[in-house]
Amino acid sequence: MNWTNGQVKQLTNKEAGRVLAQNRKASHDYFIEETVEAGLVLQGTEIKSIRRGKVNIQDAFARIESGEAYLYNMHISTYEQGNRYNHEPLRTRKLLLHQKEINKLGAEAGKPGYALIPLKVYVKNGFAKVLVGLGRGKKMFDKRETLKKQTAEREMARAFRQRQ
């Protein structure tokens, strides 16, 4: 599914269970133009660590290489009871997307200033999912402008609540 116009899909509790990791800095550093839900190819103990919330996507990014999508720098902590079957925490993980989505994202992400950023990690119907966004990098003045707008909206909401 694709969402355009900079809208990040709001996940309901029934859809997502709960959000296990969120990249809050992504909306500060990028204009998110499109989002796509992708599955993850995981090894044995990784899903157990993800369900415990031991996942970090702050420095993660995605790339399209040879017709496949990969996720880099996503940290999934080792599972305590995993003993010798544990996984590598920072290994490259494959994203499960339709070929049309891969082609479209690859064409867009190849442009200067664009990147594929994971926004959220959640479990849906027993499967780990990642919400990947196509982001266009913000300049410093864009970041300041966004901060001003958020502050103004917060002040208006606060004044409105006090008025009632």
Side-chain angles (χ1 to χ4, degrees):
M1 287 191 223
N2 296 331
W3 297 275
T4 56
N5 301 331
Q7 298 293 322
V8 176
K9 183 182 178 199
Q10 297 297 318
L11 301 170
T12 63
N13 286 342
K14 184 179 178 185
E15 260 184 320
R18 67 172 209 221
V19 175
L20 302 170
Q22 190 168 2
N23 192 351
R24 290 188 174 97
K25 198 168 182 181
S27 62
H28 178 71
D29 292 339
Y30 298 94
F31 292 112
I32 306 299
E33 296 185 355
E34 188 174 342
T35 59
V36 176
E37 182 182 66
L40 279 170
V41 176
L42 299 173
Q43 291 180 348
T45 56
E46 288 179 326
I47 189 64
K48 294 182 180 198
S49 292
I50 287 175
R51 285 190 177 132
R52 287 189 172 188
K54 307 277 185 170
V55 60
N56 185 357
I57 58 171
Q58 290 303 110
D59 299 327
F61 62 96
R63 272 198 192 138
I64 308 292
E65 294 175 355
S66 63
E68 294 181 346
Y70 293 97
L71 189 61
Y72 294 90
N73 289 346
M74 181 171 131
H75 186 276
I76 300 175
S77 297
T78 56
Y79 186 61
E80 292 85 18
Q81 289 81 30
N83 59 43
R84 66 179 183 191
Y85 300 108
N86 255 326
H87 59 275
E88 183 73 26
L90 281 176
R91 75 176 186 88
T92 302
R93 292 164 181 90
K94 186 175 175 182
L95 294 175
L96 300 173
L97 292 166
H98 292 284
Q99 195 63 47
K100 284 183 180 179
E101 293 173 334
I102 291 173
N103 294 339
K104 184 177 179 183
L105 289 175
E108 292 291 323
K111 295 179 183 175
Y114 283 85
L116 294 173
I117 305 109
L119 303 173
K120 295 179 184 181
V121 175
Y122 53 93
V123 176
K124 179 178 178 182
N125 298 329
F127 296 103
K129 302 286 183 178
V130 178
L131 190 65
V132 179
L134 177 67
R136 183 171 43 95
K138 286 185 181 180
K139 306 281 188 216
M140 186 56 77
F141 62 87
D142 290 330
K143 293 177 185 179
R144 285 193 293 261
E145 193 66 33
T146 304
L147 190 61
K148 286 179 189 175
K149 286 180 184 177
Q150 288 175 348
T151 306
E153 288 174 4
R154 201 175 302 126
E155 291 295 326
M156 287 188 333
R158 187 177 296 139
F160 186 71
R161 271 186 271 135
Q162 289 176 353
R163 194 170 181 207
Q164 287 183 346

